[in-house]
């Protein structure tokens, strides 16, 4: 479904694609270099011209990045279905792996938060040579990583 002012046959320059998608021009060029976006045709003056399908793909890639998918996973998602196609079983498997990674990172972050909160609460803030925060950061002071 197109938005007002976005006819499917419309062609527009990279700046318009950037504005409509929320991506930067450099990001668009990068995605083209690594093959996430197809190289666009060029106008008679040599400028890149994009269309609705480019906008849809770029928006898909940008949204997948916002959800934390790696570029290789996004490449796979585009191959499996991308916007407008569906291969739900394979997509579900990939998304389930990503969800498991997120949950693992959340668990690690919760442990890290508890360790740092405990360490900060032990810090008096005085000019004493002992500092619990520095102790957990400096392996030479503790003798082991993240004691």
């Amino acid at each position: 479904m197109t938005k007002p002012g976005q006819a499917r046959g419309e062609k527009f320059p990279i700046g318009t694609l950037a504005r409509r998608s929320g991506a930067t021009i450099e990001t668009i060029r990068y995605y083209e270099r690594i093959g996430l976006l197809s190289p666009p045709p060029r106008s008679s003056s040599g400028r890149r011209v994009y269309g609705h399908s480019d906008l849809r793909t770029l928006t898909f890639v940008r949204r997948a990045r916002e959800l934390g998918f790696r570029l290789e996973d996004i490449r796979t998602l585009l191959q499996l279905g991308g916007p407008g196609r569906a291969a739900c079983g394979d997509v579900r498997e990939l998304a389930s792996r990503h969800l498991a990674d997120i949950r693992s990172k959340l668990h690690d972050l919760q442990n890290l938060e508890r360790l740092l909160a405990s360490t900060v609460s032990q810090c008096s803030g005085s000019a004493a040579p002992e500092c619990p925060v520095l102790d957990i950061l400096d392996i030479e002071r503790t003798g082991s990583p993240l004691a």
Side-chain angles (χ1 to χ4, degrees), residues 33-110:
R33 280 194 307 274
I34 65 170
L36 282 179
L37 284 176
S38 300
R42 298 204 177 239
S43 68
S44 59
S45 63
R47 291 179 179 247
R48 294 173 168 104
V49 287
Y50 299 89
H52 175 75
S53 65
D54 300 305
L55 175 60
R56 191 169 181 196
T57 299
L58 180 58
T59 302
F60 180 93
V61 170
R62 192 182 57 77
R63 183 68 181 128
R65 291 294 293 151
E66 288 172 355
L67 291 172
F69 283 95
R70 298 173 310 137
L71 291 175
E72 277 310 306
D73 291 338
I74 295 169
R75 186 180 316 279
T76 301
L77 288 169
L78 287 168
Q79 291 167 350
L80 289 172
R85 298 188 310 249
C88 201
D90 293 333
V91 171
R92 181 173 193 229
E93 182 180 321
L94 192 147
S96 293
R97 282 194 311 264
H98 183 57
L99 180 59
D101 289 345
I102 289 171
R103 287 178 173 156
S104 175
K105 288 175 187 176
L106 280 171
H107 177 75
D108 292 345
L109 283 171
Q110 288 168 339

Side-chain angles (χ1 to χ4, degrees), residues 100-145:
D101 289 345
I102 289 171
R103 287 178 173 156
S104 175
K105 288 175 187 176
L106 280 171
H107 177 75
D108 292 345
L109 283 171
Q110 288 168 339
N111 288 338
L112 182 61
E113 188 271 339
R114 279 192 294 278
L115 174 64
L116 192 54
S118 171
T119 304
V120 168
S121 72
Q122 295 172 29
C123 185
S124 67
S126 68
E130 296 297 318
C131 177
V133 175
L134 291 177
D135 287 345
I136 69 163
L137 296 174
D138 187 355
I139 195 167
E140 301 252 333
R141 288 172 75 133
T142 62
S144 69

Side-chain angles (χ1 to χ4, degrees), residues 14 17-19 21-30 58 62:
I14 195 168
L17 178 64
R19 188 174 54 260
S21 69
T24 66
I25 290 173
E26 188 51 43
T27 297
I28 295 167
R29 289 180 179 152
Y30 173 69
L58 180 58
R62 192 182 57 77

